[in-house]
Amino acid sequence: MSTSIKSASPPPGIEEPPRAAVPRPATRSGWRRSLRRDWQLYSLAVLPLLFFLVFRYLPMIGNVIAFRRFEPGGSMFGEDWVGLRYVRMFLSDPTFWQVFRNTLWLGGLTLVFCFPIPIVLALLLNEVRRRSLKRFVQSVSYLPHFLSIVIVAGITLQMLATDGPVNHALGWLGHDPIRFIQEPDWFRTIYVGSEIWQTAGWGTILYLAALTTIDEDLYEAARIDGANRWQQIWHVTLPGIRPTMITLLILNVGTFMAVGFEKVLLLYNPLTYPTADVISTYVYRAGVESNSFSYAAAIGLFEAVIGLVLITSANTLSRRTVGTSLW
């Protein structure tokens, strides 16, 4: 005999127990309340957003002239559609491939030497126990960052001039003066050396900040296990700042092709073009000096695409290998 159970309503005079409230999905008015509540904080982002909008995103519209024939005084977006004509032009131009190789050389040397030196300097400063000495070294190493590129280039040219201090020192040692500024073989050394001098001290700030987040108990445990100072740096310090290192490495790889235009422009001359001329300076001469704006836009767009591929590849590789990435 089967029995059926039916839900019966409560007897008269007895109230039904309250039911559990069902959570409602968040409404669109949530961000509005947040905006009204924290509008002072959100207002701080207005100027940075406007800056990136006006100087970073809106100029991207001009890339269309890489595929159109642009004439000064005509339409801002070019006159006639020419497709990949300018792309084929620079791909078949021997001068472009020369500046492309120079860009790879300078970008690679800058990455190899300028990226690890701030890490080494931060580790050395972290071991200094005398605060006065540490502050003095920090101040001296940070100072070149606050000098404009024009001043840095001027100091470099004066130091390496034929009658400059470096050649005077070589003369005291019995060597003949070296024409550093006019010799193409010396340009890469000069550029990378000035870049290290200008950026190494400033780059240590992020690493010193990352070092302060490492738990001191890890060092204590390493000392109990018998680790010396070098072993503590290798097994505790470096793993502790690895996320910062990976993030900065990805950013440096992304700007691999964007070798410093201003410094190269101030340091190079026609005699050093074989090793000093890079894509950015070639674009400047082709676009501004020769009025070939569409041709220059095509080369600049090519450089930007390579940078996008590099930073995306570096980010993906970092996420899959070490688990740290920008996005």
Coordinates of all heavy atoms in Angstrom, one line a residue, residues 9 42 62 76 121 147 154 197 249 258 313:
S9 N -0.8 23.0 4.4 CA -0.6 24.4 4.9 C -0.8 24.3 6.4 O -1.5 23.4 6.9 CB -1.7 25.3 4.3 OG -3.0 24.8 4.5
Y42 N 38.6 57.8 -7.6 CA 38.5 57.6 -9.0 C 39.0 58.8 -9.8 O 39.4 58.7 -10.9 CB 37.1 57.3 -9.4 CG 36.7 55.9 -9.0 CD1 35.8 55.6 -7.9 CD2 37.2 54.8 -9.6 CE1 35.4 54.4 -7.6 CE2 36.8 53.5 -9.3 CZ 35.9 53.3 -8.2 OH 35.6 52.0 -7.9
G62 N 46.6 57.2 -36.9 CA 47.5 57.7 -38.0 C 48.2 56.5 -38.6 O 48.8 56.7 -39.7
M76 N 44.4 64.1 -43.7 CA 45.2 63.5 -42.6 C 45.3 62.0 -42.7 O 46.3 61.4 -42.2 CB 44.5 63.9 -41.3 CG 45.3 63.5 -40.0 SD 44.5 64.1 -38.5 CE 42.9 63.3 -38.6
L121 N 73.6 45.2 -8.1 CA 73.8 46.3 -7.2 C 72.9 46.3 -6.1 O 73.3 46.7 -4.9 CB 73.6 47.6 -8.1 CG 73.9 48.9 -7.4 CD1 75.3 49.0 -6.8 CD2 73.6 50.1 -8.3
L147 N 69.4 63.3 -14.6 CA 70.0 64.2 -15.6 C 69.2 63.9 -17.0 O 68.9 62.8 -17.3 CB 71.5 63.9 -15.8 CG 72.4 64.1 -14.6 CD1 73.8 63.7 -14.9 CD2 72.3 65.5 -14.1
G154 N 75.9 64.9 -23.7 CA 77.0 65.9 -23.7 C 78.2 65.5 -22.9 O 79.3 65.7 -23.3
W197 N 75.4 53.5 -16.9 CA 75.7 54.5 -15.9 C 74.4 55.3 -15.6 O 74.2 55.7 -14.4 CB 76.7 55.5 -16.5 CG 77.0 56.7 -15.7 CD1 77.6 56.7 -14.4 CD2 76.7 58.0 -16.0 NE1 77.7 58.0 -14.0 CE2 77.2 58.8 -14.9 CE3 76.2 58.7 -17.1 CZ2 77.1 60.2 -14.9 CZ3 76.1 60.0 -17.1 CH2 76.5 60.8 -16.0
L249 N 61.8 41.9 -16.6 CA 62.3 41.2 -17.8 C 61.3 41.3 -18.9 O 61.7 41.5 -20.1 CB 62.8 39.8 -17.5 CG 63.4 39.0 -18.6 CD1 64.6 39.7 -19.2 CD2 63.7 37.6 -18.2
A258 N 62.6 49.1 -29.2 CA 62.6 50.5 -29.1 C 63.8 51.0 -28.4 O 63.8 51.5 -27.3 CB 61.3 50.9 -28.2
S313 N 55.0 36.9 -26.3 CA 55.7 35.6 -26.2 C 56.4 35.5 -24.9 O 56.4 34.4 -24.2 CB 56.7 35.5 -27.4 OG 56.0 35.6 -28.6

